[in-house]
């Protein structure tokens, strides 16, 4: 039986773990030909053997690597820009290097990837771009997430801009804004806290539903935005947050 992404080729960044991994798996399960990429080649190996999926190193902060990937992978119909990093602290804890790193990975990484892949997508008649933002963006100010929130708000602007420029040429571009999702990096942030149990409770308490999101729940939304079911949707920022933004 044909899946919702049968006949589509999809590139996923940051696919070695968390939401990116769950989405790469969900894309493949829906029949897409998936190129799952990450800088963590060791963890990427965990995806080898998934039918329809190949893995590839890709550091989205490296323009040369992104260009080489675009050349090698060629036309895709789906681009999921998932790579991002959480810097913790207010503006007073954010050195210029922290700012530059967050903006370079979380925002410029998407600029690099879209710029490299879009020409072939346009030539082939269009496709769907999904960008990873967050509730911590233009939607909510979150304490201790200065650089992160700034960068994820920029992702919403980038998404609108790309959507506006290419809406008449078959390209859709949407952003997703998850609340707190149980991923390896979230577990690291919890583990690094002075009181891990208190940190875990605080992360859960952000969602009125009283729990963390699961990567598979976010992946299901990305599948929808990647598929033709969402053919009338572009330029949106979709919240998926256990009610955080109610
Ligand atoms: P994660 O943070 O556990 O994993 C991130 C992945 O990104 C890792 O596999 C890492 O190797 C990869 N990566 C790091 N630098 C990279 C680079 N330069 N190029 C390519 N890949 C790189 O996964 P997660 O928590 O699911 O987060 C994925 C995305 O979702 C991020 O953009 C994050 O900001 C966003 N997000 C996460 C949550 C959450 O609560 N987990 C909430 C909202 C948004």
């Amino acid at each position: 039986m044909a899946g919702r992404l049968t006949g589509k080729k999809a590139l996923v960044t940051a696919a070695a773990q968390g939401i990116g991994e769950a989405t790469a798996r969900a894309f493949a399960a829906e029949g897409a030909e998936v190129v799952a990429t990450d800088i963590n080649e060791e963890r990427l190996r965990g995806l080898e053997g998934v039918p329809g999926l190949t893995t590839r190193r890709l550091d989205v902060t490296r323009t040369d690597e992104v260009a080489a990937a675009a050349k090698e992978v060629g036309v895709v119909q789906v681009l999921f820009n998932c790579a991002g990093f959480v810097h913790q602290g207010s503006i007073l804890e954010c050195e210029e290097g922290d700012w530059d790193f967050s903006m370079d990975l979380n925002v410029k990484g998407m600029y690099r990837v879209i710029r490299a892949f879009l020409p072939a997508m346009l030539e082939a008649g269009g496709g769907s771009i999904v960008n990873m933002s967050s509730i911590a963006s233009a939607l909510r100010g979150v304490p201790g997430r200065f650089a992160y929130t700034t960068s994820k708000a920029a992702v919403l602007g980038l998404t609108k801009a790309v959507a506006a420029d290419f809406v008449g040429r078959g390209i859709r571009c949407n952003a997703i804004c998850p609340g707190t999702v149980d991923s390896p990096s979230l577990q690291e942030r919890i583990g690094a806290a002075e009181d891990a149990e208190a940190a875990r409770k605080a992360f859960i308490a952000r969602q009125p539903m009283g729990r963390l999101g699961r990567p598979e729940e976010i992946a299901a939304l990305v599948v929808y935005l990647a598929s033709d079911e969402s053919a009338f949707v572009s330029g949106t920022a979709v919240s998926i947050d256990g009610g955080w933004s109610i």
Side-chain angles (χ1 to χ4, degrees):
M1 207 178 74
R4 287 184 291 168
L5 299 176
T6 298
K8 295 188 193 296
K9 188 168 177 180
L11 183 108
V12 180
T13 70
Q17 64 184 44
I19 298 166
E21 178 189 357
T23 304
R25 289 182 185 277
F27 279 179
E30 289 291 346
E33 184 188 337
V34 181
V35 184
T37 71
D38 203 289
I39 47 171
N40 189 338
E41 293 174 84
E42 203 184 314
R43 268 199 85 117
L44 265 184
R45 276 189 216 113
L47 283 165
E48 281 167 13
V50 173
L53 186 151
T54 55
T55 63
R56 189 190 195 289
R57 179 194 151 82
L58 178 59
D59 180 344
V60 301
T61 67
R62 295 272 309 268
T63 304
D64 56 342
E65 282 193 24
V66 174
K71 202 170 164 202
E72 190 185 296
V73 173
V75 178
V76 297
Q77 287 75 35
V78 176
L79 204 49
F80 179 35
N81 284 307
C82 184
F85 168 78
V86 182
H87 174 266
Q88 305 195 61
S90 73
I91 191 169
L92 298 179
E93 286 88 44
C94 181
E95 302 298 333
E96 284 201 21
D98 301 319
W99 167 275
D100 289 344
F101 181 76
S102 289
M103 296 303 278
D104 191 38
L105 173 51
N106 297 5
V107 189
K108 198 171 176 186
M110 296 190 187
Y111 154 79
R112 289 187 187 93
V113 173
I114 295 171
R115 193 145 195 256
F117 281 85
L118 184 57
M121 292 174 80
L122 284 167
E123 220 168 283
S128 172
I129 301 169
V130 182
N131 296 326
M132 177 58 84
S133 180
S134 170
I135 285 297
S137 59
L139 306 181
R140 276 276 187 285
V142 177
R145 294 289 184 274
F146 166 70
Y148 183 72
T149 304
T150 306
S151 69
K152 293 297 191 182
V155 169
L156 299 183
L158 180 152
T159 300
K160 289 267 185 200
V162 172
D165 281 333
F166 299 99
V167 66
R169 298 176 66 189
I171 298 290
R172 298 186 297 110
C173 185
N174 291 288
I176 61 165
C177 301
T180 318
V181 178
D182 197 358
S183 70
S185 71
L186 181 79
Q187 289 301 336
E188 269 171 36
R189 288 192 287 285
I190 291 172
E194 254 172 58
D195 182 343
E197 191 46 28
R200 196 181 68 82
K201 283 189 176 146
F203 276 123
I204 289 171
R206 288 163 155 187
Q207 287 74 228
M209 287 186 192
R211 67 172 177 90
L212 300 173
R214 289 183 290 108
E216 294 73 21
E217 292 176 305
I218 313 303
L221 173 61
V222 188
V223 167
Y224 166 70
L225 291 171
S227 77
D228 295 339
E229 286 180 345
S230 60
F232 205 46
V233 182
S234 193
T236 61
V238 185
S239 299
I240 174 161
D241 63 359
W244 190 353
S245 56
I246 287 172

